[in-house]
Amino acid sequence: MKRRPALVRTSRRALTACLAAWAALASPLSWAQSAWPNKPVRIVVPFPPGGTTDIVARAIAPELAKVFGQAFVIENRAGAGGNVGTEIVAKAPNDGYTLLMGTVGTHGINRALYDKLPYDPIKDFVPITQVAAVPNVMVMSADKAKTMGINSVQDFIAYARTRPGKLNMASSGSGTSIHLAGELFKSQTGVFMVHVPYRGSSPALMDLMAGTMDVMFDNLPSSMPHIRSGKLKAFAVTSSQRSSALPDLPTIEEAAKLKGFDASSWFGLLAPAGTPADIVNRIQREVTRALNDPGIKEKMQAQGAIPGGITPQEFARLIDSEHTKWAQVVKVSGAKAD
């Protein structure tokens, strides 16, 4: 039998060793790119269906499903100003199959409002990207506003000042931007209204339109259909600038001469801490791509939302700055978690 040359055997062993070493180095990236996702991914929305958090999540879920070839399923887990659903994600496996549609409430306000949270908004999460920013809007039932003779922010302030404690203010839950926008309004105008927290924007809006509640500082996208239908009377947006979706509507700063009044909201995707960076970056890239699609961008802007798409690092800095801002608002307004 003819023996193979030693040089050939040595070369093959060397080649095999090199390939094995390369595979060991490349395997984490290759594994992440090929193996994820191989089953449906859930996006936990910590508020009920119908609110802006839910609307934003459902806008991007189908786009992610198209790209990754797996369903991105919305799971509404409401309660405690968003804390219930947020805690669920904080304690979920960090394998990329559980994401959170977080908000300015869950990751900017609640740290200042609650003495103790069931999660750490910084240590327990990795930011992926901000999906949208939206102004809030001061709204009343159109029928109730007409009955009360209220046609402007100034009318509302005058009416409320003569009836301290007689009016109630609905919100989507303690600690949400809807709640804090109202508290900021109360502290800067000197009016006193009773805060009534709900388990989300949608049920609060139902009672507002039914006349059970008097006023709400809702996220613009969830109120927009009712404003357009004439069921809600919009007085002003809570942002520092007017909304392109309702350009004729003044800001509260303009309408009530409240210098510096600004209480906007944002929504963004986060994952449990330790989620592989490759998965985080892939999701961020695809969300950004979707938000730059002209059709999606136009649809979101028509609802009053400003599309996001920033990097995980930029989103982390935003979260940190928002905590500083809202901690001051909580302190000045004296707001408490009901």
Side-chain angles (χ1 to χ4, degrees), residues 146-168:
K146 184 177 181 180
T147 300
M148 292 179 171
I150 298 175
N151 296 301
S152 66
V153 177
Q154 291 285 18
D155 287 347
F156 182 90
I157 293 171
Y159 188 96
R161 280 177 176 166
T162 60
R163 298 164 179 83
K166 299 296 183 182
L167 300 182
N168 49 44

Side-chain angles (χ1 to χ4, degrees), residues 122-242:
I122 300 300
K123 295 180 181 178
D124 291 342
F125 294 90
V126 55
I128 298 175
T129 189
Q130 181 192 35
V131 179
V134 303
N136 291 8
V137 59
M138 181 181 180
V139 287
M140 288 183 69
S141 158
D143 290 339
K144 196 164 194 176
K146 184 177 181 180
T147 300
M148 292 179 171
I150 298 175
N151 296 301
S152 66
V153 177
Q154 291 285 18
D155 287 347
F156 182 90
I157 293 171
Y159 188 96
R161 280 177 176 166
T162 60
R163 298 164 179 83
K166 299 296 183 182
L167 300 182
N168 49 44
M169 177 186 78
S171 84
S172 55
S174 296
T176 61
S177 70
I178 296 171
H179 171 205
L180 265 291
E183 293 292 347
L184 187 62
F185 182 83
K186 286 164 61 177
S187 68
Q188 291 197 12
T189 59
V191 303
F192 174 64
M193 299 177 285
V194 178
H195 174 224
V196 182
Y198 284 74
R199 289 170 61 88
S201 184
S202 186
L205 282 172
M206 293 292 288
D207 278 0
L208 184 71
M209 288 185 288
T212 306
M213 294 288 108
D214 295 310
V215 69
M216 188 172 173
F217 294 81
D218 190 35
N219 300 145
L220 183 53
S222 50
S223 277
M224 184 69 86
H226 309 299
I227 294 171
R228 287 179 173 155
S229 72
K231 293 180 180 178
L232 287 179
K233 170 73 174 178
F235 297 114
V237 290
T238 65
S239 49
S240 59
Q241 296 186 7
R242 296 190 180 198

Side-chain angles (χ1 to χ4, degrees), residues 5-338:
L7 180 59
V8 173
R9 293 198 302 273
T10 303
S11 297
R12 286 181 176 173
R13 282 199 298 271
L15 178 60
T16 301
C18 287
L19 288 172
W22 179 86
L25 290 171
S27 61
L29 178 61
S30 300
W31 179 88
Q33 298 228 16
S34 62
W36 183 92
N38 58 19
K39 62 180 181 179
V41 178
R42 65 172 177 163
I43 300 178
V44 175
V45 172
F47 296 97
T52 301
T53 316
D54 185 69
I55 292 170
V56 171
R58 293 181 190 277
I60 63 162
E63 302 304 313
L64 294 175
K66 288 178 192 175
V67 173
F68 292 114
Q70 291 288 343
F72 278 68
V73 182
I74 306 301
E75 184 176 313
N76 297 90
R77 301 297 294 269
N83 290 342
V84 171
T86 304
E87 181 185 9
I88 289 171
V89 178
K91 296 179 178 178
N94 54 8
D95 54 9
Y97 290 98
T98 302
L99 308 176
L100 174 74
M101 184 56 74
T103 70
V104 64
T106 62
H107 281 75
I109 297 173
N110 287 359
R111 282 190 287 174
L113 195 68
Y114 289 83
D115 292 331
K116 187 176 181 181
L117 286 177
Y119 61 90
D120 187 310
I122 300 300
K123 295 180 181 178
D124 291 342
F125 294 90
V126 55
I128 298 175
T129 189
Q130 181 192 35
V131 179
V134 303
N136 291 8
V137 59
M138 181 181 180
V139 287
M140 288 183 69
S141 158
D143 290 339
K144 196 164 194 176
K146 184 177 181 180
T147 300
M148 292 179 171
I150 298 175
N151 296 301
S152 66
V153 177
Q154 291 285 18
D155 287 347
F156 182 90
I157 293 171
Y159 188 96
R161 280 177 176 166
T162 60
R163 298 164 179 83
K166 299 296 183 182
L167 300 182
N168 49 44
M169 177 186 78
S171 84
S172 55
S174 296
T176 61
S177 70
I178 296 171
H179 171 205
L180 265 291
E183 293 292 347
L184 187 62
F185 182 83
K186 286 164 61 177
S187 68
Q188 291 197 12
T189 59
V191 303
F192 174 64
M193 299 177 285
V194 178
H195 174 224
V196 182
Y198 284 74
R199 289 170 61 88
S201 184
S202 186
L205 282 172
M206 293 292 288
D207 278 0
L208 184 71
M209 288 185 288
T212 306
M213 294 288 108
D214 295 310
V215 69
M216 188 172 173
F217 294 81
D218 190 35
N219 300 145
L220 183 53
S222 50
S223 277
M224 184 69 86
H226 309 299
I227 294 171
R228 287 179 173 155
S229 72
K231 293 180 180 178
L232 287 179
K233 170 73 174 178
F235 297 114
V237 290
T238 65
S239 49
S240 59
Q241 296 186 7
R242 296 190 180 198
S243 169
S244 60
L246 294 171
D248 294 331
L249 199 66
T251 66
I252 285 183
E253 179 177 17
E254 292 173 318
K257 308 294 188 250
L258 299 177
K259 188 174 181 180
F261 192 100
D262 183 9
S264 301
S265 302
W266 54 257
F267 307 87
L269 280 175
L270 302 102
T275 299
D278 174 66
I279 293 175
V280 169
N281 291 331
R282 288 172 66 195
I283 296 172
Q284 186 271 333
R285 285 195 299 269
E286 294 306 329
V287 170
T288 301
R289 181 198 59 77
L291 294 175
N292 284 326
D293 177 87
I296 295 175
K297 182 182 288 189
E298 183 180 349
K299 184 177 179 181
M300 292 187 72
Q301 290 175 337
Q303 293 176 321
I306 302 168
I310 57 180
T311 67
Q313 295 75 22
E314 290 169 330
F315 192 22
R317 289 194 289 270
L318 172 67
I319 290 171
D320 188 61
S321 66
E322 285 289 273
H323 168 62
T324 302
K325 168 187 171 180
W326 287 103
Q328 183 64 23
V329 173
V330 170
K331 181 179 179 181
V332 170
S333 67
K336 298 183 182 298
D338 295 287

